[in-house]
Amino acid sequence: MTVTRAAERPVSLAQRLNWLRAGVLGANDGIVSVAAVVVGVAAASASQAALLTAGLAALVGGAISMALGEYVSVSSQRDSERAHIARGELVLAEEDVVSPWHAASASAAAFTVGGVLPLLSVLLVPQPWKVFLTFVVVLAALAVAGWTAARIGGSPWLRSTARVVVGGALALGVTFGLGSLLGVTGVV
């Protein structure tokens, strides 16, 4: 009988797809969530302090939320798989049972990497180009994320790219409109 250590085992397709899902969702959510917050705030206020505070809060809170969500989701999936295995209803190798810690850390890291881009963009670009260039940077990053996800997953790139770009543009447009409305009406 040959015993192999976990580090020597090849990564299963199930693990790769789960890491891909966690990474893509995390990066996409990081880009869109942080961008939507900072664009909305930028539309209401020109304050760098307000942008930094809102952006960092969105980045940290979002990364924690994504990690927690992945941990809970994958833990529930793992518990269900193990229950089905115990009843003989499912045959699954132990290495195919996804680790909630791996999914959580992948999602949090991807969210953080994705979220840093719009935060830096909105903080480093001077007025009056701040919001416009943040839109451009974010939509380009979403296009790359959509293309990458399609490439890794072996699916059509155009549909994947269009889906994330259109969704991101919608989120940015809505939060920019809301920020503009609140900034003009003096609510903020």
Side-chain angles (χ1 to χ4, degrees):
M1 176 165 137
T2 305
V3 177
T4 58
R5 292 188 312 243
E8 295 173 351
R9 282 189 219 128
V11 176
S12 72
L13 177 61
Q15 287 174 321
R16 283 195 354 233
L17 291 176
N18 211 15
W19 291 341
L20 171 65
R21 182 184 58 80
V24 168
L25 286 176
N28 185 62
D29 284 352
I31 294 166
V32 174
S33 297
V34 174
V37 168
V38 297
V39 163
V41 172
S45 169
S47 165
Q48 285 288 95
L51 285 171
L52 178 61
T53 302
L56 286 176
L59 186 66
V60 172
I64 292 170
S65 176
M66 289 296 294
L68 181 60
E70 279 296 321
Y71 181 82
V72 169
S73 173
V74 173
S75 291
S76 297
Q77 174 187 339
R78 182 191 59 191
D79 294 346
S80 177
E81 288 172 347
R82 287 184 174 162
H84 286 286
I85 290 168
R87 289 191 302 266
E89 299 168 350
L90 180 65
V91 176
L92 201 59
E94 185 60 34
E95 62 266 12
D96 288 334
V97 176
V98 179
S99 162
W101 291 107
H102 287 140
S105 60
S107 186
F111 184 98
T112 301
V113 169
V116 165
L117 185 66
L119 180 58
L120 289 177
S121 177
V122 81
L123 290 174
L124 298 177
V125 173
Q127 290 289 10
W129 300 101
K130 184 179 295 289
V131 172
F132 174 74
L133 285 179
T134 299
F135 264 75
V136 171
V137 166
V138 165
L139 296 179
L142 288 172
V144 169
W147 180 86
T148 302
R151 180 101 167 123
I152 293 170
S155 61
W157 68 270
L158 186 57
R159 183 180 326 150
S160 177
T161 302
R163 183 173 39 235
V164 296
V165 170
V166 169
L170 179 63
L172 292 175
V174 168
T175 58
F176 179 78
L178 183 60
S180 296
L181 177 66
L182 293 175
V184 169
T185 60
V187 175
V188 175

